[in-house]
Amino acid sequence: MKSVACIICLLGSLLHEGFGLKVQYNGDEVLKIVPQNAQHAQYLQDITTELLLDLWKPPTPEAIHAGGEVHLRIPSSHVNQIKDSLLQYNIPHNVLIDNVQQLVDLHKVNEKTTTKVSLETYNYTKYHPMDEIYEWMEQIKQRHGDVVTKHYLGQTYERRSIYYFRIGYPSDKKKKIMFVDCGFHAREWISVAFCQWFVNEIVSTHRSNTVLNNVLKEVDLYIVPIFNVDGYIYTWTTVRELHGIHCISFIY
Ligand SMILES: *[C@@H]1O[C@H](CO)[C@@H](O)[C@H](O)[C@H]1NC(C)=O
């Protein structure tokens, strides 16, 4: 993927952010703070823990150390207070994101309108909602019938279909197989995007690339572009959360 796709995990949750509800980040700021000494680092660890702030970097409060960059999401209600105390303690900081909600909205999924899928214009550097992926799979199968077949793998708990591709040239010989499954962990959208990218690379280069052409004579690739369909849809329609970890994802 060319763009730097960042999965930004918002650690720690504020109590009003109920499970599965739409969470708003209006006026929340992400500050970049660089503690200069052990006292600064300690202070940042303390406020992060006590105020249950979402630490974006480093991964845990304990990992905050002098000289290391800290990215912290501050709820709008605490922005002034925390900026004041950073000034008071002389801790260098600046604003990385001045309104988290605005950035989330910019990359938000429009759940209602599904764009018509066309293989010509399918964008492999962005994330796609589930119904577009179903449609994409169907079109890949139809367009590349010489090398791709699509199969039903089974049904999810919420009764959605899981499909996989078999990619390879038909052969009388016993072929080796390679199995790739994506979208096992629902929040890891990048893996679903990878599988689509991977399939596209194969179907668009297998004729011209002699190595790949030979591989597809010997090997069948079994590819499940998205395994955890229910989870994927869940994370597109609610906040991505796991064990108290909130995730918003966007490109930045
Ligand atoms: C594909 O999506 C990315 C991310 O949203 C965007 O930056 C890019 O311009 C899109 N490409 C095309 C050709 O639309």
Side-chain angles (χ1 to χ4, degrees), residues 53-238:
L53 297 178
D54 285 342
L55 183 62
W56 289 17
K57 185 182 177 174
T60 60
E62 296 72 41
I64 296 176
H65 61 85
E69 239 178 60
V70 175
H71 297 183
L72 201 53
R73 177 175 71 93
I74 319 283
S76 54
S77 53
H78 289 70
V79 165
N80 288 336
Q81 179 202 333
I82 287 176
K83 280 181 173 169
D84 284 350
S85 55
L86 291 173
L87 280 175
Q88 191 188 327
Y89 291 112
N90 246 323
I91 309 180
H93 62 278
N94 59 327
V95 177
L96 208 57
I97 300 173
D98 66 3
N99 185 349
V100 175
Q101 188 60 41
Q102 211 171 28
L103 200 53
V104 171
D105 289 344
L106 204 61
H107 296 277
K108 202 166 62 181
V109 183
N110 193 335
E111 291 144 29
K112 303 240 160 42
T113 57
T114 312
T115 38
K116 186 96 185 69
V117 170
S118 141
L119 290 187
E120 276 68 35
T121 55
Y122 200 78
N123 190 334
Y124 289 92
T125 61
K126 67 176 237 195
Y127 301 125
H128 292 268
M130 193 59 223
D131 44 5
E132 285 183 18
I133 297 171
Y134 275 139
E135 177 60 23
W136 170 82
M137 286 191 80
E138 187 54 29
Q139 293 197 21
I140 288 282
K141 175 196 96 175
Q142 286 171 12
R143 176 79 58 88
H144 302 283
D146 56 327
V147 69
V148 177
T149 50
K150 185 184 130 187
H151 307 268
Y152 177 74
L153 181 64
Q155 199 182 52
T156 67
Y157 182 75
E158 293 176 356
R159 299 180 181 283
R160 298 184 180 98
S161 300
I162 308 169
Y163 298 102
Y164 65 95
F165 288 130
R166 191 179 65 218
I167 307 182
Y169 296 116
S171 166
D172 297 333
K173 282 187 301 185
K174 197 170 175 191
K175 293 177 80 178
K176 291 184 175 158
I177 73 162
M178 181 176 129
F179 180 83
V180 182
D181 69 306
C182 289
F184 197 94
H185 295 152
R187 296 171 305 136
E188 293 166 11
W189 294 356
I190 192 81
S191 97
V192 179
F194 162 75
C195 257
Q196 292 173 90
W197 177 285
F198 186 54
V199 168
N200 181 55
E201 278 299 302
I202 296 167
V203 297
S204 48
T205 60
H206 71 96
R207 284 174 209 282
S208 53
N209 182 329
T210 44
V211 174
L212 183 57
N213 197 277
N214 288 332
V215 167
L216 295 178
K217 287 175 188 154
E218 306 293 329
V219 180
D220 278 332
L221 306 176
Y222 284 73
I223 300 178
V224 188
I226 171 153
F227 187 79
N228 183 355
V229 181
D230 294 345
Y232 189 72
I233 290 177
Y234 182 86
T235 57
W236 271 74
T237 47
T238 59

